[in-house]
Amino acid sequence: MMDEKPTPSAPTPHIEIKFIPEAAEDYKKLDGSVRKPVNKEIEKLKTNPFAGAELGNKNNVNLSGFYKLYACNKSIRIVYRLLSPQKVEIVEIWGIGKRDKLEIYKIVGSRLNQS
């Protein structure tokens, strides 16, 4: 039996991007000129789910296990988490919003409390 080690030319595992319903609504509300750079950042997650910076406690909102990505010259934040981070197969988007103080973090925190 051969030892199966990944090679540099091995295909990247398929990573699925999912939006929670509220984040899908956030996305729909984005202006068309904003969607293109947001899409570009979200696409990066398919090949590197760890592209974003880890979040922790933000203004008394516990977002441990979540990550953030920026789009549009850092004016838009994308907040997501990895389902089964040991073997990432799904990236779940929890919020997309303007970088207005910590508002998107508060929104995601309230969504967490409702789930």
Side-chain angles (χ1 to χ4, degrees):
M1 188 188 292
M2 293 181 63
D3 190 19
E4 293 186 27
K5 293 181 181 175
T7 61
S9 61
T12 305
H14 175 71
I15 295 175
E16 184 179 351
I17 306 292
K18 289 188 175 184
F19 288 75
I20 67 166
E22 297 88 345
E25 287 301 315
D26 294 345
Y27 181 81
K28 287 177 188 174
K29 292 176 188 173
L30 295 174
D31 182 80
S33 63
V34 173
R35 281 189 192 176
K36 188 172 182 178
V38 166
N39 288 343
K40 185 177 178 183
E41 293 304 313
I42 291 172
E43 278 297 310
K44 287 180 185 178
L45 296 175
K46 289 183 178 180
T47 55
N48 181 8
F50 299 98
E54 284 187 66
L55 293 171
N57 194 316
K58 294 287 182 188
N59 202 29
N60 294 323
V61 178
N62 184 3
L63 295 175
S64 298
F66 283 82
Y67 295 79
K68 68 178 174 185
L69 273 179
Y70 291 113
C72 302
N73 294 318
K74 293 192 172 186
S75 67
I76 299 289
R77 284 187 179 125
I78 302 162
V79 179
Y80 68 97
R81 71 177 178 178
L82 309 175
L83 300 184
S84 64
Q86 297 78 17
K87 183 183 176 197
V88 179
E89 294 176 350
I90 299 173
V91 172
E92 190 174 60
I93 309 290
W94 273 69
I96 302 171
K98 290 183 180 175
R99 189 179 177 194
D100 185 16
K101 300 178 184 160
L102 300 173
E103 189 61 30
I104 192 64
Y105 299 144
K106 293 173 189 171
I107 291 168
V108 170
S110 69
R111 291 173 181 171
L112 265 174
N113 292 333
Q114 293 171 4
S115 62

